[in-house]
Amino acid sequence: MNEQQQTLWGFMAQQSDKLLTQTLQHIGLTFISLFIAVLIGLPLGIFITRKKQFSGTVLGIAGVLQTIPSIALLGFMIPLLGIGAKPAIVALLLYALLPIIRNTYTGITGVDSAVKEAAVAMGMNKWQVLFKAELPLAMPVILAGIRTATVINVGVATLASYIAAGGLGEFIFGGISLNNTNMILAGAIPAALLAILFDFLLSRLQHLNLKKLKTAVAALPLLLIIMSSFYFIPSAYGGKLTAGFTPEFMGRQDGNLGLQSKYGLKIHTIVISDAVMYKAAYEKQLDVISGYSTDGRLKAYGLIVLQDDKGIFPPYYAAPVVREDALNKFPELEKTLNMLSGKINDSVMTDLNYRTDYLHQSPERVAKDFLLAHTLWQPERNGKVGVVRIGSKIFGEQYILAEMYAMLIKGYTDYDVATKTGLGGTKICFDALTNNQIDFYPEYTGTGLLAILQSSKKTVDSLGGDKNKIYNYVKNVFKAKYNIKWLQPIGFNNAYALMMRQKQAKDLGVKTISNLKQYLESK
Amino acid sequence: MIKVEDLSKSFGKIKAVDHISFQVKERENLILLGTSGCGKTTTLKMLNRLIEPTSGKIFINGENILMQPPEILRRGIGYVLQNNGLFPHYTVAENIAIVPQLLRWDRKRIENRVSELLEKLHLDTTYLNAYPNELSGGQQQRVGLARALVADPPVLLMDEPFGALDNVTRSKIHAEFKALDELKRKTIIMVTHDVQEAFELGDRICLMDKGRIIQNGTPAELLFNPVNSFVKDFLKEQRLQLEFKALHLIDIWDWLPTSKKRETKLNLMSDTGLWESLEGFKFTNSEEISISHQNNEIKTVGFEQLMAAFYQYKKQQTHE
Ligand SMILES: Nc1ncnc2c1ncn2[C@@H]1O[C@H](COP(=O)(O)OP(=O)(O)OP(=O)(O)O)[C@@H](O)[C@H]1O
Ligand SMILES: [Mg+2]
């Protein structure tokens, strides 16, 4: 865990291969889509100058396309075009269309009518008028449109990594989920530089005098094609099975690196965002994905978890972590919180998550239903003996747990409750706890071990992925170091997991990760 | 050469051109004269089908142009626009070469023709590679004219070609215009709202109002035999100057005294305009000029004699 100390330059040098690939992919993506957008937008723009009655409709549609949020647009593309290059290019080109069509239209309609009339009067046919008079004179305006489209595309292309199309987004979003600033910057800085560079070059082109512009514009298609060829399509297909892993999973020892070293798993892999991964597996775009074992989408999309028979994914058992002084201040608290202990296993948690994430039931309702079903629910006592402050991280499962704890405290003690849910990531939550902003929140053993304690590889190896050993280790160290107590585990393990579609796993006879490896190596 | 029959054009309810007919003989210079909005430009544009007529027929050399492919028709008709319409992205040379390019002339031929025209139109060859925005208004007009003349079309349509020029430049270009041999062999229809210009350059004038032709005739006919008060009023201003411009020496020949031939600085043909002849006295500073008639008859007259003949001619016109 020395990434934090490493300089940005060091990171870029070390990852120069990847950086180059991603940059080239980024340029390629930008220009392929730009090229196609020009091929579509220019004729369409010309068409609506000829048939003005269509101009409102065409510009309107292009305008609406542009307002669709990029992630949503990429999401729409998956069922139609799958994942990978195709949907990314289509989405990008849709964004690039409006400025190109609009500027072609305004450029051509803005050409001096005396010049057009002269062209006709000298006996030019309509194509000659277009190519010899209208287009050359509209070119500065059209180029301005292409310039806008290019800059938009460089920006939106970062999102292509969400659907496994590569580009600098891989570093940016990988860095965000791994909390690795150098990685974010290694993606963001080149992306920004590309935008600035292309903007500058096109602005120069736009302001060339008319004579030079002729040659420059003639060279433009060639340039576009060359730039486009930078993009060797990262094929989303090929191999027996295709895996889609999040950027975070790709970079972790307890993720893809471990899969390779401990299992020797060799699978055709693409990088994809957590947001679309489950759906893509459901749509059969992907066969194996890296998910969280209690994610509600597991149930929603009919996926099953492959057994980690060699134990490379450290356990992430959830348990409340409480400051010792809060336990002293609220003597009833520990007992009350432990009422949940052992009550929620993996499949129960998955089901609860499914209800909030997929059925969109409120965490409150899901929590209350659960407590009622397990006869743990009691009406509020409306006690006023001090206020217990509950924290939670910013995802569904934590909201549900926080609600359950709040109900238990109100029902079984005379304390009042304040909930501070949605505290960003681990770091924010833990800082709130140590700085006496909250009294407890649910944490996971694996997170405690790796993210909070930043334990060395040696320590992690010595614990051997054993559930109890890890629990005891974090419990002891937290107590000694922070005076924070880990209460009894709730029961479920929200660890990394490999998942497949139920039916496919059954058909292939794959139950464990080792099974998967055997299947991949068979024949 | 050009025959227009019962031509009309309506834009919605506006009758821009209302059942007009006229003919232009070969090498004749016809002027469409009238106030703004009377339909001059519309009439002109129908002749090369920039505007399609609502009804009526147009024949050029006996062929109905409405039956011809418009592009082909237009390449045989020179057209000078009201505000020149030069291609701002083409150099002077490229602008002039547009029609030859369309006609696929070879490069050498185009080059030769372009420099020939530049010379005739008194444009310096240094302007060949200049862009229109680097030229003065007068220079732009000349380039516009060169562009229309380059393929030597038999017919030339000009829409207020000298409209945007100051008076000094305009009279200079008028003089060049009349002297240009290329133009002498062309059938020209020219639009203007400037009466002086019409009288100076036109063989015949169509005076238009509200889409109709009020009178069609030679300048002298319009001046001395106006069909109605509209024509008379239209020509009211600077009438004397118009009269000088409308008449030629031949018109007053009979009233010029016969005399022995004497040596003079200036010898004119009898088809010279009266205005030009009077100017001749001034420019050459002579007492007398010699005028030769068709059958080699020559009269030598002084300024007073010329003026006296002019008044006699006028007196006779009003008595008729
Ligand atoms: N495209 C058009 N649509 C509608 N009305 C038109 C159009 N072109 C000309 N008109 C109308 O037709 C009439 C004649 O116009 P035209 O341009 O022929 O006049 P003009 O004699 O050339 O005038 P000017 O001396 O001002 O150039 C005017 O009333 C004008 O408003
Ligand atoms: Mg006009």
Side-chain angles (χ1 to χ4, degrees):
Chain A
M1 288 283 152
N2 56 353
E3 277 163 350
Q4 259 64 33
Q5 286 88 50
Q6 199 179 19
T7 62
L8 172 62
W9 185 244
F11 179 85
M12 285 170 119
Q14 188 200 338
Q15 302 277 337
S16 61
D17 267 8
K18 264 196 189 165
L19 186 61
L20 182 69
T21 320
Q22 291 186 13
T23 308
L24 290 182
Q25 278 181 341
H26 206 91
I27 298 175
L29 266 180
T30 303
F31 283 93
I32 289 180
S33 47
L34 189 69
F35 187 57
I36 303 176
V38 171
L39 285 186
I40 297 173
L42 199 62
L44 207 55
I46 295 167
F47 172 76
I48 57 175
T49 63
R50 300 296 189 260
K51 301 254 184 274
K52 289 230 167 67
Q53 66 267 35
F54 294 113
S55 63
T57 322
V58 170
L59 290 172
I61 293 173
V64 167
L65 283 175
Q66 190 128 61
T67 61
I68 303 177
S70 2
I71 303 263
L73 190 59
L74 290 173
F76 291 145
M77 292 291 154
I78 295 175
L80 300 174
L81 295 167
I83 53 175
K86 260 191 285 175
I89 290 171
V90 172
L92 282 175
L93 93 85
L94 290 181
Y95 280 117
L97 274 183
L98 179 66
I100 295 177
I101 299 177
R102 192 200 328 132
N103 283 38
T104 305
Y105 179 73
T106 44
I108 289 183
T109 44
V111 172
D112 183 2
S113 60
V115 172
K116 285 188 218 177
E117 187 168 75
V120 176
M122 280 182 293
M124 290 189 176
N125 62 34
K126 58 181 181 182
W127 294 108
Q128 289 165 329
V129 174
L130 178 65
F131 285 105
K132 288 178 193 273
E134 291 179 307
L135 277 183
L137 288 170
M139 201 42 79
V141 183
I142 297 177
L143 281 176
I146 294 181
R147 181 176 155 202
T148 312
T150 312
V151 176
I152 293 177
N153 269 9
V154 172
V156 180
T158 53
L159 297 175
S161 66
Y162 270 143
I163 49 172
L168 288 163
E170 280 188 21
F171 270 161
I172 298 178
F173 295 106
I176 290 174
S177 43
L178 290 171
N179 192 19
N180 181 339
T181 315
N182 286 336
M183 196 173 196
I184 299 175
L185 292 177
I189 292 175
L193 289 179
L194 283 183
I196 295 170
L197 179 74
F198 292 139
D199 189 50
F200 172 74
L201 291 179
L202 283 163
S203 80
R204 292 298 299 271
L205 188 64
Q206 196 185 334
H207 293 120
L208 277 183
N209 70 36
L210 290 164
K211 187 101 194 162
K212 288 189 195 145
L213 191 62
K214 275 184 228 169
T215 14
V217 168
L220 202 62
L222 190 71
L223 214 69
L224 275 179
I225 292 175
I226 293 174
M227 296 286 225
S228 303
S229 67
F230 285 170
Y231 191 66
F232 29 94
I233 295 174
S235 78
Y237 316 95
K240 260 186 193 165
L241 295 177
T242 302
F245 295 155
T246 61
E248 182 181 3
F249 187 83
M250 290 296 286
R252 290 181 75 129
Q253 196 56 45
D254 57 330
N256 192 38
L257 302 179
L259 278 181
Q260 287 172 351
S261 60
K262 293 246 175 70
Y263 282 98
L265 188 73
K266 288 194 195 71
I267 184 162
H268 173 69
T269 305
I270 59 178
V271 181
I272 191 165
S273 132
D274 166 76
V276 296
M277 182 173 68
Y278 293 89
K279 185 115 193 277
Y282 173 71
E283 304 266 358
K284 304 192 182 169
Q285 302 291 334
L286 297 172
D287 303 304
V288 181
I289 60 171
S290 64
Y292 293 100
S293 51
T294 59
D295 197 299
R297 289 170 292 190
L298 197 61
K299 181 169 163 145
Y301 292 124
L303 308 174
I304 56 155
V305 171
L306 301 188
Q307 251 175 49
D308 176 21
D309 49 333
K310 292 197 178 161
I312 62 157
F313 301 134
Y316 280 68
Y317 281 92
V321 286
V322 201
R323 271 203 334 279
E324 289 281 2
D325 58 313
L327 289 176
N328 295 334
K329 191 172 159 196
F330 306 110
E332 300 282 302
L333 188 60
E334 179 163 358
K335 194 177 75 192
T336 314
L337 298 185
N338 278 340
M339 289 173 76
L340 268 193
S341 158
K343 290 287 193 308
I344 305 179
N345 64 19
D346 288 6
S347 64
V348 173
M349 194 66 239
T350 306
D351 181 54
L352 298 179
N353 281 331
Y354 169 71
R355 292 201 204 175
T356 52
D357 294 349
Y358 204 74
L359 303 181
H360 302 296
Q361 297 175 353
S362 72
E364 221 176 310
R365 176 177 159 197
V366 173
K368 188 171 175 184
D369 285 352
F370 174 83
L371 293 182
L372 282 172
H374 290 76
T375 60
L376 286 170
W377 194 81
Q378 280 197 18
E380 285 183 26
R381 289 211 223 155
N382 290 319
K384 291 280 178 282
V385 193
V387 179
V388 181
R389 295 160 303 169
I390 309 176
S392 90
K393 299 184 195 178
I394 195 161
F395 54 90
E397 180 170 298
Q398 291 256 331
Y399 287 113
I400 300 174
L401 292 174
E403 284 297 338
M404 286 185 186
Y405 284 130
M407 286 172 190
L408 288 174
I409 294 169
K410 283 181 187 164
Y412 288 86
T413 73
D414 287 324
Y415 311 133
D416 198 4
V417 168
T419 46
K420 299 195 172 178
T421 50
L423 289 174
T426 301
K427 186 166 161 43
I428 296 174
C429 239
F430 187 70
D431 284 352
L433 185 66
T434 51
N435 290 312
N436 198 7
Q437 300 293 309
I438 56 174
D439 295 313
F440 76 94
Y441 75 93
E443 188 51 282
Y444 307 88
T445 52
T447 313
L449 180 70
L450 298 170
I452 298 177
L453 296 179
Q454 309 245 322
S455 307
S456 66
K457 191 170 187 310
K458 208 175 104 205
T459 318
V460 175
D461 284 348
S462 75
L463 298 171
D466 183 282
K467 162 185 172 182
N468 293 324
K469 276 189 191 161
I470 292 177
Y471 176 75
N472 286 328
Y473 176 82
V474 292
K475 185 172 176 177
N476 292 334
V477 181
F478 267 60
K479 170 100 183 90
K481 217 167 160 183
Y482 306 112
N483 209 19
I484 285 173
K485 183 166 184 181
W486 283 76
L487 303 190
Q488 291 170 20
I490 302 167
F492 65 90
N493 175 15
N494 188 5
Y496 269 136
L498 286 196
M499 306 171 182
M500 294 180 71
R501 283 184 302 283
Q502 261 165 16
K503 177 156 190 319
Q504 187 183 34
K506 203 170 147 211
D507 292 348
L508 302 179
V510 175
K511 282 192 176 133
T512 65
I513 299 178
S514 296
N515 290 162
L516 177 65
K517 174 183 152 69
Q518 282 155 18
Y519 168 74
L520 286 167
E521 285 173 2
S522 62
K523 259 193 292 175
Chain B
M1 169 96 193
I2 301 177
K3 198 163 127 201
V4 171
E5 279 180 6
D6 211 17
L7 193 65
S8 294
K9 175 70 191 180
S10 310
F11 296 106
K13 280 198 177 135
I14 304 171
K15 285 188 172 170
V17 173
D18 192 7
H19 297 281
I20 63 170
S21 303
F22 61 86
Q23 290 194 23
V24 192
K25 292 201 221 63
E26 193 152 356
R27 299 178 186 222
E28 200 175 35
N29 199 347
L30 178 82
I31 307 282
L32 297 178
L33 178 66
T35 46
S36 184
C38 70
K40 307 179 296 286
T41 299
T42 309
T43 306
L44 198 69
K45 284 183 182 172
M46 284 193 278
L47 293 175
N48 64 357
R49 294 183 60 186
L50 285 178
I51 294 178
E52 296 290 340
T54 309
S55 66
K57 288 185 185 142
I58 302 167
F59 298 93
I60 295 183
N61 284 330
E63 273 192 76
N64 185 346
I65 64 158
L66 299 174
M67 302 300 198
Q68 290 172 350
E71 287 91 33
I72 306 300
L73 170 77
R74 290 176 191 138
R75 286 174 202 170
I77 300 178
Y79 184 62
V80 182
L81 278 83
Q82 193 157 0
N83 29 18
N84 83 52
L86 295 177
F87 283 14
H89 58 305
Y90 276 24
T91 61
V92 166
E94 287 167 335
N95 261 295
I96 300 176
I98 292 174
V99 178
Q101 294 281 8
L102 294 177
L103 298 171
R104 299 186 188 288
W105 289 10
D106 62 63
R107 211 167 51 87
K108 198 76 217 150
R109 185 173 167 206
I110 296 179
E111 268 175 28
N112 292 340
R113 177 63 177 151
V114 170
S115 13
E116 182 191 7
L117 273 173
L118 283 188
E119 201 185 307
K120 283 184 181 171
L121 290 168
H122 310 287
L123 276 166
D124 202 286
T125 44
T126 50
Y127 288 119
L128 270 179
N129 293 313
Y131 284 90
N133 62 5
E134 298 160 355
L135 303 181
S136 73
Q139 288 166 331
Q140 291 180 12
Q141 298 281 12
R142 289 166 211 240
V143 177
L145 186 58
R147 187 175 66 173
L149 290 175
V150 64
D152 204 8
V155 176
L156 192 59
L157 307 177
M158 306 176 87
D159 195 352
E160 309 206 21
F162 313 119
L165 301 180
D166 60 274
N167 285 333
V168 179
T169 319
R170 187 181 326 196
S171 32
K172 205 169 142 221
I173 291 196
H174 281 171
E176 287 172 20
F177 185 84
K178 281 190 283 191
L180 205 62
D181 60 339
E182 298 245 355
L183 291 173
K184 292 196 175 131
R185 52 176 193 258
K186 295 207 183 310
T187 307
I188 300 175
I189 298 184
M190 185 171 127
V191 165
T192 184
H193 58 253
D194 178 352
V195 182
Q196 298 292 338
E197 186 171 82
F199 274 67
E200 204 160 309
L201 302 179
D203 295 323
R204 271 148 35 81
I205 296 175
C206 274
L207 182 59
M208 295 180 66
D209 185 41
K210 300 195 185 100
R212 296 175 150 274
I213 294 179
I214 307 300
Q215 187 168 1
N216 176 355
T218 62
E221 280 166 0
L222 261 67
L223 208 48
F224 300 112
N225 296 309
V227 294
N228 58 19
S229 57
F230 174 82
V231 181
K232 208 169 177 176
D233 289 346
F234 203 89
L235 307 178
K236 203 165 54 191
E237 255 174 66
Q238 295 180 300
R239 185 168 169 102
L240 186 62
Q241 198 179 348
L242 290 182
E243 289 174 353
F244 288 143
K245 282 181 179 169
L247 294 178
H248 296 86
L249 292 173
I250 195 165
D251 298 318
I252 55 171
W253 180 260
D254 292 344
W255 289 275
L256 289 172
T258 40
S259 58
K260 261 197 275 152
K261 193 190 170 215
R262 292 187 290 269
E263 273 307 305
T264 53
K265 283 191 210 163
L266 191 60
N267 299 298
L268 296 172
M269 298 299 291
S270 62
D271 62 354
T272 310
L274 192 52
W275 177 254
E276 224 177 300
S277 315
L278 293 174
E279 278 182 327
F281 279 105
K282 228 173 91 194
F283 288 139
T284 54
N285 230 340
S286 356
E287 300 282 308
E288 294 183 313
I289 55 171
S290 302
I291 305 163
S292 17
H293 203 30
Q294 299 119 328
N295 40 8
N296 281 334
E297 209 184 328
I298 294 179
K299 288 182 178 178
T300 303
V301 295
F303 187 81
E304 273 86 54
Q305 290 164 319
L306 205 60
M307 292 304 280
F310 167 69
Y311 281 112
Q312 297 226 293
Y313 170 86
K314 267 185 67 172
K315 212 154 92 199
Q316 198 222 6
Q317 292 294 321
T318 38
H319 283 296
E320 263 174 21

